[in-house]
Amino acid sequence: MRVAIIGGGPGGLYAAALLKRLDPTREVTVWERNAPDVTFGFGVVLSDETLGGIEHADPVVYEALKRDFVRWDDIDIGHRGTRYRSGGHGFAALGRHRLLRILQDRCRSLGVELRFATEAPDAGLLSESYDLVVAADGVHSATRDTHAHAFGPRVTEHRCRYIWLAADFAFDAFRFEIAETEHGVMQLHGYPFTAKDSTVIVEMREEVWRAAGLDVLTPQESIERCAKIFADALGGRPLRSNNSTWTTFRTVVNDRWSHGNVVLLGDAAHTAHFSIGSGTKLAVEDALALAACLREHPDVRSASAAYEEERKPVVASTQRAARASLEWFEDLRLHLDQPSRQFAFNLLTRSRRVTHDNLRLRDARFTEAVEREFGCPPGTPPMFTPFRLRGLTLRNRVVVSPMDMYSATDGVPGDFHLVHLGARALGGAGLVMTEMVCVSEEGRITPGCAGLYTGRQAEAWRRVTDFVHRQSPGTAIGVQLGHSGRKGSTKLMWEGMDEPLPAGNWPLVAASPLPYKPGSQTPRRLSRAQLTDIREQFAAAGWRAARAGFDLLELHCAHGYLLSGFLSPLTNQRTDAYGGSLEKRLRFPLEVFDAVRAVWPAERPMTVRISATDWAEGGTTAEDAVRIARAFAAHGADAIDVSTGQVVAEERPEFGRSYQTPFADRIRHEVRVPVIAVGAISSWDDVNSLILAGRADLCALARPHLYDPHWTLHAAVEQGYTGPGAVWPAPYRAGSRRPQTGRTDAPRPRLSLGG
């Protein structure tokens, strides 16, 4: 086999060494346009997991790395004159030059041909004479760009400028320092990579960089300015560069990683922000996986497919974490007013990979100090602290999220709703929400949707609220009011979500006459008189909800339903007083809010659910969401329930664990209003992390409560908590301990008698 590798960085060199070591008969050639000692940056951080893979695949490389590694456990976070240290994290780093030298030496010893200071031929040309072409040519990959039609790259440029520098001393921990200057917030990321050197990355928003004049300084002047700004962290020492320049980070994603016998590897295939230290790590792991797949599969094409199938999910997970970390630092200013210890916890858990429970294992003392400062009584996880909204005090921070059940008859909730909501109330959540309850027959999504537009429906709901208040005292029950708009008159979810009914359709209304998707019914544009009628329908439903005994009312302004349709520029194309600017698009939803608030009891809280982004070009943005939340808060909303999407069928959500919480976090800190976070929050550890970090006040979970109606009580048991935030109903107390399983404590042999 003849192998051509484009790019002599760590990924390309390690791939070359592995491929040659696994089969010495392979002819492996590496092209690198730079000289052997030219590289970008200074230090490289590798995880124990990656090192384990290297040790297993090539002990020679591992031993060489091991001799040069600098190891440390601590992270230091400086914030407004205080510095907190968290331990138990475990890092290993070495100089990038040294890493390249080790890999170059290993390649030469194995017989790999290294061609430095030589531009590689085009990958398409190489593919004609080589069996495999590995494109490891970095973030600016010419291979990827030349063959973009095949790889489908998407490159996102982000909002911060950064520069990669070094200092001639070794930090004794991974260091995060914040500088609040007259121009804006700047941050330093630093870590040791030898016993006497540290990597120092200085980063700030583009507008701060320009305001500080760093865009017009010479490279040396920039370096001196950075050293002056962070003089305290650097002990007054200077910084140095290896031709570093200010740049912006670019996230690279490819639809496909292979094309014929050409395979992308490392930054050519994907990038992940340096704040989680993963670029070289991912490239090395790519090389390990590619070499293994070539060994396990009979030909290059099947091996390339297996390599892509194995690595893509891992990389996607890392990129989600990196994106969360990157965006946290982009919006760093939002968190600066937090108490310093909570700020440090927030920073440590920013990527969602380090969680409350994980950090407790690493550094229990630090985590317990954050909990005390937050106000957690001894032995009380953050999720079981109370929270007050107007006159309602919730005993914990868990919300059973609204979930459409499509099981009502003529809008009347029946036995199913009593059992469904009653079971979740008995399960320990602080607040149980109904599904979206429709304010009119025409406002239903499906024929199975529940309503509050008749007295009979209100009486049926009263049966549910009475059960919750009587049988699960301390649990609050809330109602979500909404109108389907253009997404109505569809089949039950399990019969075909968002699909029109085959018969018995009713006419739809919306802000503008736009069907939800091809094949959907086209709604009629609402007239001024109809807007007044619908506003009164919401108010009447709110009045019935109060009479029915609900503790909290939420107005549904999300997911493309009627009120959401007014908010989004993609679904509101009106030219009257209710369309155009965001202020005009807000007008009708705010009129509805005011009408409902006027009939809803003053002591009971009222919340609003919004879609903080449409996940579609030209739609609602995160900045718009802040303005929308601020408007509702100004009109008296007690909390904003922050969801996303489902507004247009052509959306492209960025799914992932807790993927919607950054929108809630931003609204909470910019608007200073309580927020409910929702979206793939699946574990009690996630809830504790979000609450303690100050990213959310309440967490709403849907699917976990379908899987386990007693999710909250079980979360208490698993954390050893027995306080007032999770009270077992008297008939269930016998089940408040885990059932016994088969015996696992057989006696171990205690003596060994030799002859």
Side-chain angles (χ1 to χ4, degrees):
M1 176 183 280
R2 302 185 74 222
V3 181
I5 297 179
I6 305 172
L13 290 171
Y14 192 52
L18 287 175
L19 291 172
K20 188 69 173 175
R21 179 174 182 269
L22 290 173
D23 186 350
T25 67
R26 287 173 176 151
E27 178 188 322
V28 182
T29 305
V30 177
W31 280 265
E32 170 53 52
R33 63 183 177 181
N34 294 314
D37 59 347
V38 173
T39 185
F40 174 72
F42 292 92
V44 174
V45 179
L46 295 175
S47 68
D48 288 340
E49 181 182 46
T50 304
L51 291 174
I54 293 173
E55 182 179 18
H56 181 74
D58 193 339
V60 173
V61 170
Y62 175 77
E63 289 300 324
L65 294 173
K66 186 178 175 182
R67 286 191 291 272
D68 284 280
F69 267 131
V70 175
R71 291 185 177 272
W72 73 99
D73 289 323
D74 297 329
I75 297 177
D76 279 1
I77 298 163
H79 174 251
R80 293 186 171 173
T82 64
R83 180 169 290 118
Y84 289 105
R85 172 166 289 191
S86 173
H89 297 279
F91 297 98
L94 80 164
R96 191 172 178 88
H97 279 106
R98 179 59 185 149
L99 172 61
L100 289 175
R101 209 154 36 241
I102 289 169
L103 294 175
Q104 290 165 7
D105 290 346
R106 183 57 170 155
C107 284
R108 291 190 185 98
S109 72
L110 291 167
V112 173
E113 183 180 353
L114 301 177
R115 299 183 182 181
F116 289 106
T118 305
E119 200 74 45
D122 176 76
L125 186 62
L126 288 172
S127 68
E128 296 175 4
S129 53
Y130 285 82
D131 301 293
L132 172 66
V133 179
V134 179
D137 48 347
V139 64
H140 301 291
S141 170
T143 305
R144 182 189 66 230
D145 294 346
T146 301
H147 303 278
H149 66 284
F151 296 115
R154 300 190 302 279
V155 180
T156 304
E157 197 160 309
H158 298 286
R159 296 180 290 174
C160 282
R161 289 272 180 171
Y162 72 95
I163 190 168
W164 206 297
L165 305 169
D168 294 326
F169 75 100
F171 285 122
D172 61 352
F174 207 120
R175 184 74 71 86
F176 292 101
E177 294 287 339
I178 312 300
E180 296 179 67
T181 75
E182 60 183 311
H183 309 293
V185 183
M186 306 177 185
Q187 62 253 22
L188 176 150
H189 311 241
Y191 59 87
F193 65 90
T194 75
K196 58 181 181 178
D197 299 282
S198 293
T199 288
V200 174
I201 303 170
V202 177
E203 184 182 30
M204 65 200 72
R205 290 281 288 255
E206 172 90 17
E207 60 268 27
V208 176
W209 178 72
R210 292 188 182 280
L214 292 166
D215 58 324
V216 297
L217 297 182
T218 67
Q220 185 57 36
E221 288 171 338
S222 271
I223 295 168
E224 292 171 0
R225 176 75 68 84
C226 290
K228 184 176 180 180
I229 291 168
F230 291 100
D232 287 346
L234 298 170
R237 302 177 182 88
L239 292 168
R240 57 184 167 87
S241 164
N242 63 346
N243 299 315
S244 302
T245 57
W246 290 99
T247 188
T248 55
F249 189 81
R250 306 200 314 165
T251 296
V252 174
V253 177
N254 284 277
D255 293 334
R256 293 164 296 281
W257 292 11
S258 62
H259 170 54
N261 62 347
V262 180
V263 177
L264 300 179
L265 184 145
D267 283 356
H270 48 71
T271 59
H273 193 248
F274 55 80
S275 61
I276 65 169
S278 58
T280 302
K281 171 186 184 300
L282 289 177
V284 168
E285 290 173 352
D286 283 354
L288 286 164
L290 179 60
C293 289
L294 284 164
R295 190 176 194 181
E296 295 164 358
H297 293 269
D299 56 69
V300 167
R301 287 180 183 266
S302 60
S304 299
Y307 157 71
E308 186 171 340
E309 183 179 2
E310 176 182 333
R311 289 297 295 157
K312 257 192 167 180
V314 177
V315 168
S317 175
T318 301
Q319 287 188 311
R320 285 193 295 269
R323 182 72 178 253
S325 178
L326 175 155
E327 290 177 348
W328 193 92
F329 281 112
E330 284 185 338
D331 292 326
L332 178 62
R333 61 183 176 79
L334 299 179
H335 310 289
L336 291 175
D337 290 336
Q338 288 187 302
S340 292
R341 197 176 268 113
Q342 186 183 47
F343 173 86
F345 178 88
N346 196 350
L347 187 152
L348 291 169
T349 59
R350 68 194 180 280
S351 74
R352 303 192 286 271
R353 286 201 155 182
V354 176
T355 62
H356 171 265
D357 200 45
N358 180 264
L359 194 56
R360 177 183 288 280
L361 289 173
R362 298 180 188 212
D363 192 339
R365 181 178 296 179
F366 171 80
T367 306
E368 288 166 4
V370 181
E371 291 172 346
R372 284 195 301 273
E373 190 175 88
F374 181 79
C376 298
T380 301
M383 67 184 291
F384 292 115
T385 56
F387 189 73
R388 187 176 181 84
L389 287 171
R390 203 170 283 234
L392 176 67
T393 298
L394 303 175
R395 65 183 176 191
N396 62 53
R397 307 300 185 99
V398 179
V399 178
V400 176
S401 196
M403 294 175 278
D404 285 315
M405 293 288 105
Y406 309 109
S407 300
T409 302
D410 297 326
V412 178
D415 290 346
F416 176 88
H417 294 82
L418 177 66
V419 174
H420 166 69
L421 294 169
R424 273 85 199 152
L426 293 171
L431 172 64
V432 176
M433 292 297 300
T434 69
E435 60 199 89
M436 185 180 95
V437 175
C438 305
V439 299
S440 69
E441 187 175 14
E442 296 77 17
R444 293 174 298 161
I445 307 167
T446 76
C449 288
L452 257 173
Y453 47 88
T454 71
R456 183 175 169 222
Q457 293 163 355
E459 291 171 6
W461 282 119
R462 183 80 206 196
R463 180 176 174 231
V464 175
T465 62
D466 282 349
F467 176 88
V468 171
H469 294 145
R470 184 174 62 252
Q471 299 296 337
S472 187
T475 297
I477 181 165
V479 61
Q480 185 188 70
L481 291 185
H483 186 296
S484 63
R486 69 177 188 155
K487 295 178 73 175
S489 192
T490 62
K491 298 177 182 178
L492 304 183
M493 181 180 66
W494 47 87
E495 294 176 353
M497 188 171 178
D498 296 322
E499 294 295 327
L501 291 169
N505 284 279
W506 54 87
L508 303 181
V509 294
S512 298
L514 302 169
Y516 177 62
K517 63 180 185 178
S520 295
Q521 183 185 154
T522 299
R524 292 175 298 167
R525 177 187 182 276
L526 284 163
S527 67
R528 294 289 289 267
Q530 288 173 313
L531 291 175
T532 300
D533 290 342
I534 289 177
R535 185 186 67 211
E536 294 308 311
Q537 289 170 355
F538 270 96
W543 178 82
R544 292 189 185 95
R547 295 281 297 252
F550 286 105
D551 302 299
L552 176 147
L553 187 149
E554 179 166 281
L555 189 64
H556 200 342
C557 296
H559 301 169
Y561 298 121
L562 182 70
L563 299 181
S564 170
F566 274 86
L567 294 173
S568 172
L570 296 178
T571 52
N572 184 345
Q573 298 181 2
R574 301 173 75 100
T575 57
D576 62 0
Y578 294 96
S581 67
L582 179 56
E583 286 70 26
K584 290 183 176 180
R585 300 198 307 272
L586 267 162
R587 183 176 176 182
F588 183 60
L590 288 174
E591 286 181 0
V592 171
F593 180 92
D594 291 343
V596 176
R597 181 71 266 184
V599 300
W600 184 245
E603 72 280 5
R604 299 186 205 178
M606 188 168 163
T607 65
V608 179
R609 174 170 278 202
I610 66 170
S611 283
T613 177
D614 292 343
W615 299 115
E617 187 175 352
T620 298
T621 65
E623 291 77 16
D624 293 335
V626 169
R627 293 167 63 192
I628 291 168
R630 184 173 285 121
F632 279 113
H635 279 246
D638 298 291
I640 305 297
D641 187 353
V642 187
S643 186
T644 65
Q646 301 179 56
V647 175
V648 292
E650 60 271 23
E651 67 178 5
R652 294 190 67 172
E654 297 174 4
F655 290 119
R657 187 169 125 258
S658 306
Y659 72 106
Q660 296 177 154
T661 57
F663 298 97
D665 187 5
R666 180 169 183 173
I667 287 170
R668 185 179 191 271
H669 287 93
E670 287 208 33
V671 183
R672 306 290 180 175
V673 64
V675 297
I676 305 168
V678 64
I681 302 170
S682 56
S683 71
W684 49 260
D685 195 17
D686 286 341
V687 177
N688 283 328
S689 301
L690 293 168
I691 298 301
L692 192 57
R695 294 182 205 134
D697 299 284
L698 300 168
C699 289
L701 300 91
R703 287 178 178 84
H705 283 115
L706 294 179
Y707 180 76
D708 178 6
H710 290 80
W711 185 88
T712 307
L713 293 178
H714 291 155
V717 171
E718 289 168 14
Q719 295 175 81
Y721 173 71
T722 58
V727 178
W728 283 77
Y732 285 2
R733 285 176 190 159
S736 62
R737 295 183 302 275
R738 277 185 177 275
Q740 293 182 350
T741 58
R743 182 177 178 181
T744 59
D745 59 346
R748 292 181 294 112
R750 304 303 295 160
L751 294 173
S752 176
L753 301 177

